[in-house]
Amino acid sequence: DVSAERQGALTRLCTGRAVVSKVYGEDITTEKEKTPDAEVEGTRYKVVWSCLLLVEMVLSNIYCAAHFQSLAANVVGKVADLLRLFNSRSTQLVLGAGAIHSAARLKSVNAKHLSLVTQCLGITISILPHVRAALMAQLPPRQHGLLNDLDKIKKEFAEHNEKVLNKFVSIIGGVVEKGLAPRIANTDFDARAKAVQNPRSCCQFLDGVANNTRKMHQVVRPLLPPDHLQDVFSRIFAYVDQLVPALFKSSADGTKGNKKNGGKPPVFSFPTTDAGKERMLIEVETMIISLNSLAGVRPWDFTAVRILEGQLEYDLPRDSKNASEDEEADESDASQKRENLTESDQHDKPSTDSLQHVSEMTNGAEKSTFEAEQQLHQDESTSNGAINGGISHHHDAQQESVVKEPESNTTTPEIEAV
């Protein structure tokens, strides 16, 4: 949790008051004022304790430079060293999988850890311009060149963050290529066109791609801001869009002349009948609809169906495409409704006393209306009254993100230790 004192220090830093220890009248003593996120310029970040400690140490150096201006030049170097140490150490622990062998003794480095790292990098990048401005105010003009080192550090943090975002794609890519691609073998779309009646059913390979992507979405969505979530899944969708057709093609090419030592490797071939070709394209389209229906992500213009249409030399019937588009729109609407419901669930449920109070108000209104009507007939006078009441029904349904294992028994996405 982020204490009110630390949040206040961040706010003062971002508003040009970094050297002010406390604003008059600001109360920072109560425990209840702790928040789970740190906020910088309207963006909320879920950060770990080490990142909060880094920010606190940087602010302490800024205070030192403000009160002892002869040390300001040395403070710039100290701040740069602190930032570089945090950047390099977090790279070693997460991207380098050093946390597995460190005192933390993690069993694996997974998508949750990547999400926290990118949040820590994001908040540091967002405050660096304010740190630079605060230090510049303490330096004489001839020493402003020392701050160029902070500009280089900002680029280093941005490059690190880019690698972390790409690692999300690598996780999905590793699961799809190593765990799911072998399932393409022995998939006969001609036979599935005759046997499978459910139009939304997919083969094990395509179903595994959708399930693992959905699983990652469940893990990272509570941890990433909306713009970061959209960025991550736009990268994943672009990768999957190219990978799925390529794996089908390589599986078909790999079965030609690949028999060695008398063994019979699993065989995959593209469907030959129109029903089988249509079935394959519909299942790919169903996977795309499932991915684009994830809450909070930007719908991606997938080209996998068009690529496979060229490979199969068969165009998916227009009515099937329209049905798929309508289904995707319905899925998106349902996803948006679920997202809005989740946001509204954060409010408290009305108490029994409140409901009883509103009920008494309603009964009183009915009684008042009846008496008014009697008085109208007796005195031939008019009386107007209006009582408006509203009850907002809310549910405390804020659940912990529980990641279910897909039916395909795929492993949890992890980063292999280097």
Side-chain angles (χ1 to χ4, degrees):
D1 290 343
V2 181
S3 65
E5 183 177 3
R6 281 180 169 146
Q7 180 58 59
L10 279 172
T11 302
R12 291 192 295 274
L13 172 64
C14 298
T15 54
R17 299 173 296 159
V19 297
V20 180
S21 60
K22 181 181 175 181
V23 179
Y24 177 76
E26 184 180 26
D27 185 11
I28 56 174
T29 59
T30 60
E31 185 75 15
K32 294 182 180 180
E33 291 181 353
K34 288 186 175 181
T35 59
D37 306 330
E39 183 175 350
V40 175
E41 296 181 326
T43 303
R44 305 188 72 86
Y45 300 90
K46 291 185 181 293
V47 295
V48 297
W49 178 82
S50 60
C51 182
L52 294 175
L53 181 62
L54 170 69
V55 174
E56 186 175 334
M57 295 175 71
V58 169
L59 290 175
S60 297
N61 279 273
I62 293 176
Y63 298 152
C64 181
H67 291 89
F68 304 96
Q69 293 191 351
S70 60
L71 300 176
N74 293 333
V75 166
V76 174
K78 297 298 182 182
V79 170
D81 291 341
L82 276 174
L83 293 170
R84 281 203 169 96
L85 176 62
F86 180 83
N87 191 36
S88 62
R89 188 59 180 153
S90 58
T91 302
Q92 294 170 4
L93 291 175
V94 180
L95 291 180
I100 298 175
H101 308 291
S102 68
R105 298 297 181 187
L106 295 180
K107 294 182 179 179
S108 62
V109 180
N110 53 37
K112 179 180 178 181
H113 303 116
L114 290 176
S115 300
L116 292 174
V117 168
T118 189
Q119 292 293 280
C120 293
L121 296 175
I123 193 174
T124 308
I125 292 172
S126 65
I127 67 172
L128 269 176
H130 303 289
V131 172
R132 188 183 191 280
L135 291 174
M136 179 182 290
Q138 313 305 326
L139 291 171
R142 65 178 181 277
Q143 292 183 333
H144 285 178
L146 297 174
L147 298 173
N148 293 335
D149 203 19
L150 294 181
D151 298 331
K152 295 179 182 178
I153 291 175
K154 185 177 180 180
K155 293 181 181 179
E156 293 173 5
F157 270 79
E159 292 173 358
H160 183 188
N161 194 40
E162 185 72 14
K163 292 179 182 178
V164 174
L165 295 176
N166 288 332
K167 199 64 179 181
F168 286 104
V169 180
S170 300
I171 290 177
I172 293 295
V175 172
V176 173
E177 293 185 28
K178 296 180 181 179
L180 300 177
R183 299 181 182 183
I184 297 178
N186 293 331
T187 301
D188 189 346
F189 287 102
D190 290 325
R192 289 181 61 82
K194 300 177 182 178
V196 179
Q197 301 298 328
N198 185 3
R200 299 185 64 178
S201 176
C202 293
C203 63
Q204 289 186 354
F205 168 67
L206 295 175
D207 188 57
V209 173
N211 284 339
N212 279 275
T213 306
R214 188 181 304 110
K215 182 178 180 180
M216 175 173 282
H217 178 266
Q218 291 173 347
V219 172
V220 304
R221 188 190 174 200
L223 301 174
L224 295 179
D227 55 338
H228 290 188
L229 184 71
Q230 292 180 358
D231 186 10
V232 168
F233 279 89
S234 293
R235 296 165 186 256
I236 292 175
F237 289 170
Y239 182 75
V240 169
D241 191 22
Q242 300 297 322
L243 183 62
V244 169
L247 288 177
F248 275 122
K249 188 175 185 303
S250 63
S251 296
D253 294 341
T255 58
K256 300 177 181 179
N258 195 32
K259 297 181 180 180
K260 295 181 181 180
N261 301 325
K264 295 182 179 180
V267 176
F268 170 77
S269 59
F270 284 104
T272 56
T273 65
D274 288 347
K277 294 177 181 179
E278 182 176 351
R279 181 69 202 178
M280 182 179 186
L281 295 174
I282 288 177
E283 291 190 10
V284 174
E285 186 73 22
T286 300
M287 180 202 70
I288 292 172
I289 293 172
S290 177
L291 296 180
N292 275 336
S293 65
L294 295 176
V297 303
R298 184 184 298 111
W300 188 258
D301 184 16
F302 283 85
T303 61
V305 172
R306 294 194 290 271
I307 294 174
L308 290 173
E309 283 179 340
Q311 180 69 34
L312 297 172
E313 297 181 352
Y314 178 85
D315 292 335
L316 189 64
R318 187 171 184 81
D319 55 348
S320 298
K321 289 185 178 181
N322 292 337
S324 298
E325 291 174 358
D326 294 340
E327 185 178 357
E328 182 174 357
D330 293 340
E331 288 283 351
S332 299
D333 293 341
S335 175
Q336 185 64 35
K337 290 179 180 179
R338 288 193 299 268
E339 185 175 0
N340 294 337
L341 181 61
T342 301
E343 294 176 356
S344 65
D345 285 345
Q346 297 177 357
H347 300 285
D348 294 330
K349 183 187 295 184
S351 63
T352 304
D353 295 338
S354 299
L355 294 175
Q356 183 177 0
H357 177 66
V358 175
S359 177
E360 291 174 355
M361 291 175 61
T362 306
N363 293 335
E366 293 176 353
K367 182 177 179 181
S368 299
T369 304
F370 177 74
E371 293 176 352
E373 290 177 354
Q374 288 183 334
Q375 187 67 26
L376 175 66
H377 290 296
Q378 293 175 0
D379 302 333
E380 295 183 355
S381 60
T382 60
S383 62
N384 297 321
I387 299 176
N388 296 324
I391 305 174
S392 299
H393 298 276
H394 302 289
H395 301 279
D396 292 330
Q398 201 168 19
Q399 302 175 349
E400 180 182 358
S401 295
V402 178
V403 181
K404 297 183 179 179
E405 289 293 332
E407 297 178 358
S408 55
N409 294 327
T410 55
T411 58
T412 302
E414 297 177 352
I415 306 174
E416 298 293 339
V418 178

